[in-house]
Coordinates of all heavy atoms in Angstrom, one line a residue:
L50 N 31.7 3.2 23.3 CA 31.5 4.1 24.5 C 32.1 3.4 25.7 O 32.7 4.0 26.5 CB 30.0 4.5 24.6 CG 29.7 5.3 25.9 CD1 30.4 6.7 25.8 CD2 28.2 5.5 26.0
W53 N 35.9 3.2 25.5 CA 36.4 4.6 25.7 C 36.4 5.0 27.1 O 37.4 5.6 27.6 CB 35.6 5.5 24.8 CG 36.2 6.9 24.6 CD1 37.5 7.3 24.5 CD2 35.4 8.1 24.5 NE1 37.6 8.6 24.3 CE2 36.3 9.2 24.3 CE3 34.0 8.4 24.4 CZ2 35.9 10.5 24.1 CZ3 33.6 9.7 24.3 CH2 34.6 10.7 24.1
W57 N 40.1 5.0 28.6 CA 40.6 6.3 28.5 C 39.7 7.3 29.3 O 39.0 8.1 28.7 CB 40.6 6.8 27.1 CG 41.7 6.1 26.3 CD1 43.0 6.4 26.2 CD2 41.5 4.9 25.5 NE1 43.7 5.5 25.4 CE2 42.8 4.6 24.9 CE3 40.4 4.1 25.1 CZ2 42.9 3.5 24.1 CZ3 40.6 3.0 24.3 CH2 41.8 2.7 23.8
P58 N 39.6 7.1 30.6 CA 38.6 7.8 31.4 C 38.8 9.3 31.4 O 37.8 10.1 31.4 CB 38.7 7.2 32.8 CG 40.1 6.6 32.9 CD 40.3 6.1 31.5
I59 N 40.1 9.7 31.5 CA 40.3 11.2 31.6 C 40.0 11.8 30.2 O 39.3 12.9 30.2 CB 41.8 11.4 31.9 CG1 42.1 10.9 33.3 CG2 42.1 12.9 31.9 CD1 43.6 11.0 33.7
Q60 N 40.5 11.2 29.1 CA 40.2 11.8 27.8 C 38.7 11.8 27.5 O 38.2 12.8 27.0 CB 41.0 11.0 26.7 CG 42.5 11.2 26.8 CD 43.1 10.1 27.7 OE1 42.4 9.6 28.6 NE2 44.4 9.8 27.5
S61 N 38.1 10.7 27.8 CA 36.6 10.6 27.5 C 35.8 11.6 28.3 O 34.9 12.2 27.8 CB 36.1 9.1 27.7 OG 36.3 8.8 29.1
G62 N 36.2 11.7 29.6 CA 35.5 12.7 30.4 C 35.7 14.1 29.9 O 34.7 14.9 29.9
A63 N 36.9 14.4 29.4 CA 37.1 15.8 28.9 C 36.3 16.1 27.7 O 35.7 17.1 27.5 CB 38.6 16.0 28.7
V64 N 36.3 15.1 26.8 CA 35.6 15.3 25.5 C 34.1 15.3 25.8 O 33.4 16.2 25.2 CB 35.9 14.1 24.5 CG1 35.0 14.2 23.3 CG2 37.4 14.1 24.1
L65 N 33.6 14.4 26.6 CA 32.1 14.5 26.9 C 31.7 15.8 27.5 O 30.7 16.4 27.2 CB 31.8 13.3 27.8 CG 31.8 11.9 27.1 CD1 31.5 10.8 28.2 CD2 30.7 11.8 26.0
N66 N 32.5 16.3 28.5 CA 32.2 17.5 29.1 C 32.3 18.7 28.1 O 31.4 19.6 28.2 CB 33.2 17.8 30.3 CG 32.9 17.0 31.5 OD1 31.8 16.6 31.8 ND2 34.0 16.6 32.2
G67 N 33.2 18.6 27.2 CA 33.3 19.7 26.2 C 32.0 19.7 25.3 O 31.5 20.8 25.0
I68 N 31.6 18.5 24.9 CA 30.4 18.4 24.1 C 29.2 18.9 24.9 O 28.3 19.6 24.4 CB 30.2 17.0 23.5 CG1 31.4 16.6 22.6 CG2 28.9 16.9 22.7 CD1 31.4 15.1 22.2
N69 N 29.2 18.4 26.1 CA 28.0 18.8 27.0 C 27.9 20.3 27.2 O 26.8 20.9 27.1 CB 28.2 18.1 28.3 CG 27.0 18.3 29.2 OD1 25.9 18.0 28.8 ND2 27.2 18.8 30.4
T70 N 29.1 21.0 27.4 CA 29.1 22.4 27.5 C 28.6 23.1 26.2 O 27.8 24.0 26.3 CB 30.5 22.9 27.8 OG1 31.0 22.3 29.0 CG2 30.5 24.4 28.0
F71 N 29.0 22.6 25.1 CA 28.5 23.1 23.8 C 27.0 22.9 23.7 O 26.3 23.9 23.3 CB 29.3 22.3 22.7 CG 28.8 22.7 21.3 CD1 29.1 23.9 20.7 CD2 27.9 21.8 20.6 CE1 28.7 24.2 19.4 CE2 27.5 22.1 19.4 CZ 27.8 23.3 18.7
I72 N 26.5 21.8 24.0 CA 25.1 21.5 23.9 C 24.3 22.4 24.8 O 23.3 23.0 24.5 CB 24.8 20.0 24.2 CG1 25.2 19.2 23.0 CG2 23.3 19.8 24.4 CD1 25.1 17.7 23.3
A530 N 29.2 12.0 34.9 CA 29.6 11.5 33.6 C 28.5 10.9 32.8 O 28.3 11.0 31.6 CB 30.7 10.5 33.8
T533 N 26.2 13.6 31.6 CA 26.8 14.2 30.4 C 26.5 13.4 29.1 O 26.1 13.9 28.1 CB 28.3 14.4 30.6 OG1 28.5 15.3 31.7 CG2 28.9 15.0 29.3
A534 N 26.8 12.1 29.2 CA 26.6 11.2 28.1 C 25.1 11.1 27.7 O 24.8 11.1 26.5 CB 27.1 9.8 28.4
I537 N 23.9 14.3 25.8 CA 24.4 14.2 24.4 C 23.6 13.2 23.6 O 23.1 13.5 22.5 CB 25.9 13.8 24.4 CG1 26.7 14.9 25.1 CG2 26.3 13.6 23.0 CD1 28.1 14.5 25.4

Side-chain angles (χ1 to χ4, degrees):
L50 177 62
W53 191 36
W57 292 277
I59 297 175
Q60 295 89 333
S61 62
V64 172
L65 288 174
N66 284 330
I68 298 173
N69 187 54
T70 300
F71 173 77
I72 288 176
T533 298
I537 296 167

